[in-house]
Amino acid sequence: MPRLLLVLGLAAVVGLITGQMLACVLLALGGALALNYYRLYLLERWLRHRRNLDPPNLSGPWGDVVALVVRIYRRKKFHKKRMLEVVREFRQLTSALPDGIVVLGRDREIQWFNPKAARMLGLQRKVDFGHRIDNLVRNPEFQSYLDRGDFALPVVVRKLTGQDIHLSLQMVDYGEGQKLLVVRDVSREILIEAMRKDFVANASHELRSPLTVIAGYVDTLADDPIIDADIRHALEEMRRQSARMQAVVDDLIELSRLESNDSEAPFIFVDVPGLLALMRRDVIARPDRTCEFQFESESVSGMLGAESELHSVFSNLIGNAIKYTPAGGRVVARWWTDAHGGHFSVTDTGVGIAPEHLPRLTERFYRVDPGRSRASGGSGLGLAIVKHALQRHGGSMDIVSEEGKGSTFTCHFPDARIATRD
Ligand code: ADP
């Protein structure tokens, strides 16, 4: 601006001297305009071919504009480079991950996956983008997992192609309505678990026969009248301990049998009120029962299931209630049906269970008070057996308990399992 004023001033002076004021001023203005147009042209040409041209060497405000553009361009170039580095790092990281990752859109359509997911799920780059994951991973368990919509835990499926490959699939929410499918190969864990189960099953079977022989001899000797009183005392203890060992081995065999069978329990009619009435007779006749026992059958309906497993469920719960209820207490067993299905509950006025133990109660060998459980002949496997038998019948169990007051264990069976004899 000051330079333009100077030029105009000079033009005015020349105009005054020559007497051609208007022509001189117009000439000066025209020259200034032409110069600015030329600078604008240089700037525009440089912006257009920035990659191949150096920035024009302009002074004044045009020079400032060029410097500003150069600064913005440099910043953009830096951010672009950084972004490319981040993307490259992300790609390397996801390729190195031991797990497969699939990014899914709102309609479960595939947006992206890493090479591991491609290998495990048999997906193809580009070809499968945009297709729904459930159309490409065709597996009934995975489909019902998606339909259920409860993704807190993964679902384990057997891979259709390949040999014995087991995959764990878990959906994880992220972004807005998007999901990640995390895929892990859990074949090794499944194999180890199967080996563990086989080992427990084989070991318990191997122990059963020698134990029966030992228990038989101990029984005979303990009942022999010529045995010394001191030795008889030891024999009585041996008899008690061998009975406990037999109970543990029997429970281990039963648990292994239930665990090795993933399928549903058969649909064979079981007269539940009749079964419970028979059990009631046995409970009343039990010599170790010190509490009152009451049985309320509020339904004549029975169930479709495996009788031996249902017997195990009922007898374990009633047995526990009697074991953990001191003399003078009361145990009530109830069977009823309603619109939701069949229900069996056992309520006792016994020792109760503190809340922190409740979630772990159905674990194998989990005992609230190991001393008390062993003293009463408990194997620590009863509730694990109950849980597995219920699972095979599509059932579930609630436990409500208060320490020192008593507990209620309630089993729920689905309506589809409830039936009458005809
Ligand atoms: P156990 O053979 O030791 O009874 P269970 O698996 O049947 O094994 O039960 C696990 C633990 O749960 C028991 O050791 C006991 O501490 C607790 N428990 C089960 N039923 C009851 C009950 N009715 N009242 C109080 N505690 C119970």
Side-chain angles (χ1 to χ4, degrees):
M1 206 51 150
R3 211 183 285 175
L4 182 62
L5 288 177
L6 192 69
V7 170
L8 280 177
L10 272 177
V13 172
V14 174
L16 271 180
I17 295 168
T18 57
Q20 297 286 330
M21 174 70 83
L22 186 66
C24 285
V25 170
L26 280 178
L27 198 70
L29 276 176
L33 200 63
L35 189 67
N36 276 313
Y37 260 113
Y38 175 64
R39 285 175 175 163
L40 192 62
Y41 159 75
L42 287 181
L43 183 67
E44 193 261 358
R45 194 174 63 135
W46 170 63
L47 286 176
R48 223 181 257 283
H49 308 285
R50 214 175 36 211
R51 267 174 215 285
N52 307 321
L53 290 180
D54 286 337
N57 191 6
L58 302 177
S59 56
W62 295 107
D64 294 345
V65 171
V66 169
L68 198 67
V69 172
V70 167
R71 239 193 346 263
I72 293 173
Y73 177 60
R74 269 208 206 115
R75 208 178 304 151
K76 195 178 134 201
K77 211 165 145 185
F78 170 78
H79 285 304
K80 196 169 156 189
K81 200 168 147 220
R82 184 80 201 100
M83 280 287 287
L84 282 173
E85 272 170 14
V86 169
V87 171
R88 200 172 307 127
E89 261 175 43
F90 175 75
R91 287 237 168 101
Q92 282 172 352
L93 189 125
T94 52
S95 309
L97 275 180
D99 296 347
I101 309 274
V102 185
V103 177
L104 301 173
R106 281 175 190 281
D107 294 324
R108 295 181 192 152
E109 77 280 7
I110 299 177
Q111 294 182 336
W112 180 87
F113 49 81
N114 68 350
K116 198 87 189 187
R119 228 168 306 139
M120 287 196 274
L121 298 175
L123 301 176
Q124 288 180 5
R125 283 212 159 259
K126 306 256 164 60
V127 181
D128 290 335
F129 283 162
H131 288 279
R132 284 177 61 118
I133 186 75
D134 34 345
N135 287 341
L136 296 173
V137 180
R138 292 200 161 271
N139 180 287
E141 281 120 30
F142 181 52
Q143 187 60 55
S144 58
Y145 172 74
L146 291 180
D147 294 344
R148 258 199 326 273
D150 175 7
F151 304 135
L153 292 173
V155 60
V156 175
V157 302
R158 196 193 211 122
K159 206 170 151 183
L160 291 179
T161 52
Q163 297 106 23
D164 235 358
I165 296 180
H166 288 84
L167 299 177
S168 139
L169 307 173
Q170 183 163 25
M171 297 281 255
V172 181
D173 284 318
Y174 96 100
E176 284 176 21
Q178 285 180 295
K179 293 214 179 320
L180 281 183
L181 176 67
V182 182
V183 191
R184 281 184 58 221
D185 185 342
V186 288
S187 313
R188 210 177 121 72
E189 285 92 326
I190 298 273
L191 184 73
I192 292 172
E193 181 67 7
M195 279 162 61
R196 184 194 62 77
K197 284 180 190 165
D198 280 355
F199 172 76
V200 173
N202 292 339
S204 349
H205 274 290
E206 290 298 323
L207 282 172
R208 190 185 233 170
S209 316
L211 249 176
T212 313
V213 175
I214 293 170
Y217 277 120
V218 170
D219 264 350
T220 319
L221 284 173
D223 292 338
D224 196 330
I226 61 162
I227 294 288
D228 240 33
D230 288 354
I231 297 176
R232 188 186 304 281
H233 183 70
L235 284 170
E236 283 301 338
E237 187 53 26
M238 284 164 79
R239 175 143 70 177
R240 256 196 307 280
Q241 294 302 334
S242 58
R244 249 194 69 205
M245 278 170 80
Q246 276 180 314
V248 173
V249 167
D250 287 347
D251 280 355
L252 271 177
I253 290 173
E254 174 152 16
L255 192 58
S256 305
R257 193 181 55 75
L258 286 169
E259 281 184 338
S260 65
N261 204 339
D262 288 338
S263 58
E264 268 191 295
F267 283 73
I268 299 168
F269 181 74
V270 181
D271 174 14
V272 176
L275 180 67
L276 288 169
L278 283 178
M279 285 173 68
R280 178 181 172 273
R281 231 182 35 199
D282 293 347
V283 172
I284 300 286
R286 265 170 76 157
D288 61 335
R289 181 179 63 87
T290 53
C291 55
E292 187 193 333
F293 178 72
Q294 196 178 328
F295 168 54
E296 297 169 2
S297 185
E298 294 166 22
S299 169
V300 289
S301 298
M303 262 185 67
L304 300 174
E307 181 161 344
S308 63
E309 291 175 27
L310 293 176
H311 183 278
S312 230
V313 170
F314 303 149
S315 68
N316 269 306
L317 293 181
I318 296 174
N320 276 350
I322 289 175
K323 247 180 347 196
Y324 299 108
T325 302
R330 187 157 177 259
V331 173
V332 180
R334 265 182 81 204
W335 164 246
W336 76 102
T337 52
D338 59 20
H340 303 291
H343 314 271
F344 172 76
S345 74
V346 181
T347 303
D348 63 59
T349 57
V351 294
I353 306 153
E356 66 269 21
H357 296 292
L358 293 180
R360 301 196 53 193
L361 231 49
T362 54
E363 284 174 23
R364 298 177 203 103
F365 296 115
Y366 188 82
R367 295 163 165 120
V368 176
D369 178 349
R372 188 199 290 263
S373 161
R374 289 199 185 97
S376 57
S379 68
L381 294 169
L383 291 181
I385 292 175
V386 169
K387 181 177 130 188
H388 275 87
L390 283 176
Q391 269 171 0
R392 288 214 338 125
H393 287 81
S396 58
M397 180 166 70
D398 306 330
I399 310 171
V400 179
S401 188
E402 200 178 330
E403 223 179 345
K405 293 230 164 114
S407 321
T408 298
F409 288 72
T410 311
C411 305
H412 305 282
F413 297 94
D415 197 35
R417 289 262 176 197
I418 306 306
T420 46
R421 187 176 287 281
D422 39 79

